[in-house]
Amino acid sequence: MARRSTSSSTGRPTGTGPSGPRNRTPQPVRLRRRTFGDVVKAFLAFVMLLVLVVGVPGALAVTVGWPLPRTAPSMDWLSQPIGVDVFLNTLTVIVWLAWAQFTACVLVEVKAALSGVGLPGRVPGAGPSQLLARQLVAALLLVGATAASFTPGLSQLGHSLEGNQKGTVATAQATPGILAQQQEQAKSTAAALAEQAGHAAAQAEQGGSTATHGATKYYRIQPPEGRHHDSLWEIAQRHLGDGRRYKEIYELNKDRVQPDGSRLSEASLIRPGWIMEMPGDAHGGELVANPDAHVSPEVRQQIGDYAQTGDHAQQQHQEQGGGQHAGGDGATAQITVPSQRPAGDAGTPATHAQESGDDSSGHSSAHSFGHSFGLSEALLGAPLLAAGLLAALGRRRRQALWQSALGAVGGRRGMEPPIPAGDAQDVQDALLVGADPEGVRLLDRSLRGLAAALTAESRSLPVVYAAWLSHGDLHLQLAQPAGKPPAPWQLGQDQTFWTLSRADAERYEDTDAAAPYPGLVSLGTMDDSRLLLNLEAVPGIVSLSGREADRAAVFASVAAELATNGWSDRMTITLVGFGADLTPLAPNRLRHLDDVDALFETMEAETRQRRGALGAADHHSVLTGRTGPAQHTRWAPNLVLLATQPSAEDAVRLAELAADAARLGIGYLVGSERDDLPGAAWAMEITPDGRLLAPLLGLELQAQLLPAVQQRAVVELFVEADPERDPDGPTNAPPFLVDISEQGRPAVYARLVGPYEIIGLDTPDGERSPLLHEALALLLLHREGVHPRVLSSALWPRGVTDDVRDALLERLRGWLGTDPDGSPRLRTDAAGRLTLAKSVVSDLDVLRSLYYEATQGKGVESRAVRGRLLTDALVLVRGPLLADRAEGRYRWLTHEIIDAQLPLLVADIGLALSAFHLEKDRAEKAIEALGAALRTAPADERLWNELLRATHATGDPDRLRALAADLIARSGARGLPPRTEALLDELLPTWRDGAAATG
């Protein structure tokens, strides 16, 4: 009999012409002939279908008729007694609904059977009904040409589905995990499927699965030798001659129970002691035939037991629609939090851009608004990276403010940070929109809480390869089982997943535990989940291939997030071949080396040092060093990012260097023009359309990138905020100067410094008033303009739709009204940003203008004018910014530096007014001005030092001693600042005696 071409596991025809790999050695297909029993079954099925689909509604229509009321029922209908007619009508409605559901099941099954491709869709709530419909339709079509393509083993109707056909028609499932396998849907024709199913049925008649045949070969997963762990790729390379045939091994063994009770559910989650059934053409001395006398009785028994699991696994796979595991089995249950890909998309790669960068935040990307308004979609879809950059930028700007406070009063450059423009302004807006600081906070607390709990139980940290964030829940994927996690963590889909729900994460409080996994970094999203790879835990090198520009965008994103993330304490990021201009992001973390030779010189020395330190401390790895008393002082990771292609010699040398890297807390991400870099444990590829592919790991992500334009703009923001940059440069004027004369009275005046009040507008009615007030406050604090998406992100941090945002803007525009010339007070500039008219003013605007005029304007030439302006400014200060804001609102203030600017501004005003009075020996007036400023800036050392001088000027030593005692009491265990101690030594030499006496 001529050999027929059949479908491989990849859906490509084999047997004629160029072919893909097959699961088994090609065998002649013996077609099963129809019997008289098949015809009888088909006839009975036809009769049952006719009765159920046609007879039931006909009988209902004839015997009962229309069961529902013909007129609208009144309220009296509820009080009427329930008679026989009402009961029968109700029962009839239920039967009609059941009939409709069954009929839908029949139509779905018939359509799937006639199409010959894929499993039928699932009718909601119709499990038993759809199973009955499937069996009846299958029996009816058993005598037709499409019967074999409908379901395997039709001759066993009513019994267990038999046959070990792997990958025939399977819908894909997106199980979150670093090794999540994207299953392939069969794409062969109905005839090829019929032959394959007939082949499976013939095998079933001969004795069940091919796994029971004596010629079947098996491979037992070997324990790791040194750092090398067995993988399906390496097994396929050794025994099939092509590592890419690992999918065949996976399909043969998927979901089958292993000797330790777990199952193979992901292509690279294999463990020592597991058994793999191999394709028929496998070869090599490590293979075991069943039965085989050359293995121990224990192994022979395990292989025999494993050989019986094939049919059961296939039956479970078919009954559950191609891969949706039951949630009750801890070994096979999926992580249920991330949403599954619809059945209609089975086998379709996840190539679409994600609408959500990280579901833990609820932020929506540019797609939620239909367009991005010119903002960087790369940053809009990177919430953790954006949050880290935004927090680091805020710290840098505050540092610049505080350092500028050490200079002379007045004329300081750092009081008003420069307002970004162009690409830098767009990137800053994208950071404000895309950032998810709450997600970063929860991730940091969850990981530190886990470390603290393990320390309390005297347990070491498990090796974590990756973390998944999905809908706010955190899933850690371990390198190997590590027992039961400490509460509130729970086991996930198997023993290698630890899961923490968002609700439990929110209960964590701050802890002083060291950051356990500082090497976690975002790579991208798959479906509704965001992947963070733990670079320092990878057993070797992670290689990245693709075009140079695409690789550079990945490297920049990884470097920027590692440099600024919020879940790390200390680390070193070594950049080679790129990133010389990235160092302003984090000068203390980022280290740039010029070439590979410098890298080898540096890392060889560090590798020796770390290896010796671990041995001296009696630690197996850096993870054991991160629990216990030494956790804060040792074992910070060093993550090497090598963007340039190493030479062949350097690649081998690098592989040797990275052989023991994971144990030492050193990670290597290396760019390569090809995907065959020596020593690469994991190989990834970045495509021109922004997908990050790792076939061996089963990954296809929408990559997180930082393109060159956005990279330069981010660096510009940090450079402009550098406190050491041009300290003698020109002073920045306030962004908005108001007319402080009597003629400059504004139409709308908002008081923000202290309790929030608005003068000149009626208070809006209803529940929308707080939202309008908050929107106005945001606009008043940004006179340069606010991007519409920044406004909506600030007011609705979990996302909002276009219509809701636009409705708010219309209400705000109507509430603010128009100027006498008819122009609206809420406007849109040429760049599309929202701005306020000059007739809308806040007390903060006036405060800045008064101080500016006193120190750099009219007050410079006139002492009297300076004193009046400073006094007027200090009177405006009624407390902290928005002192009475409601809890839970104005969260966007955490991204601002106004909380640092306002106390410094008030302190400068107090110091300037104190100096003004001390020039005329008015010490009491100076003390009064300083006291007023201290109520808003109580921690400003300059105010206390000036208060000591003013008090000394009164000539009252007892008053000075009382003030010194008060300062000592306020300082507590930290002690007085050095400058204050030196000043007290000058003004009150005996102050230490008094401090010792009170101490």
Side-chain angles (χ1 to χ4, degrees), residues 610-625:
R610 287 188 176 230
R611 192 177 287 128
L614 279 177
D618 196 24
H619 289 307
H620 172 69
S621 71
V622 295
L623 289 179
T624 58

Side-chain angles (χ1 to χ4, degrees), residues 748-750 752 756-758 761 770-782 791 795 812 815-816 826 836 840 842 890 892:
V748 178
Y749 182 66
L752 304 179
Y756 192 2
E757 299 177 15
I758 297 179
L761 292 177
L771 202 60
L772 291 172
H773 280 75
E774 186 173 355
L776 179 57
L778 178 61
L779 291 168
L780 286 167
L781 292 178
H782 291 277
L791 178 68
L795 300 180
L812 183 60
W815 180 42
L816 291 175
L826 177 60
L836 293 173
V840 182
S842 73
Y890 298 88
W892 46 269

Side-chain angles (χ1 to χ4, degrees), residues 147 189 210 265 278 416 545 614 864:
T189 62
T210 58
S265 60
M278 300 293 289
E416 299 295 341
S545 60
L614 279 177

Side-chain angles (χ1 to χ4, degrees), residues 9 41 182 185 230 304 380 477 567 600 817 826 946 960 984:
S9 63
K41 288 180 180 178
Q182 303 296 309
Q185 182 184 22
D230 232 342
L380 292 177
Q477 186 158 2
W567 54 89
F600 284 132
L826 177 60
E946 192 65 17
L960 183 59
L984 279 175

Side-chain angles (χ1 to χ4, degrees), residues 481-548:
K484 184 179 180 181
W489 290 78
Q490 298 178 349
L491 286 175
Q493 67 184 51
D494 58 33
Q495 296 291 324
T496 61
F497 278 86
W498 285 4
T499 301
L500 181 70
S501 69
R502 182 184 180 94
D504 290 331
E506 289 174 344
R507 298 190 186 101
Y508 270 120
E509 297 180 353
D510 291 331
T511 177
D512 60 352
Y517 304 111
L520 286 170
V521 63
S522 302
L523 289 186
T525 55
M526 184 172 71
D527 295 331
D528 294 326
S529 301
R530 175 168 298 276
L531 169 66
L532 288 85
L533 180 67
N534 190 7
L535 281 180
E536 69 166 330
V538 178
I541 295 171
V542 179
S543 69
L544 178 67
S545 60
R547 298 188 312 182
E548 184 177 0

Side-chain angles (χ1 to χ4, degrees), residues 55 82 101 105 131 218 347 362 383 443-444 459 517 629 631 633 706 778 789 910 948 968:
I82 300 176
Q101 185 187 59
C105 295
L131 179 60
Y218 296 89
L443 176 62
D444 181 44
R459 296 169 61 185
Y517 304 111
Q631 58 180 317
T633 58
L706 187 59
L778 178 61
R789 294 206 60 191
L948 285 172
I968 294 170

Side-chain angles (χ1 to χ4, degrees), residues 738-749:
V738 301
D739 184 357
I740 57 177
S741 66
E742 287 294 330
Q743 292 74 26
R745 188 177 300 274
V748 178
Y749 182 66

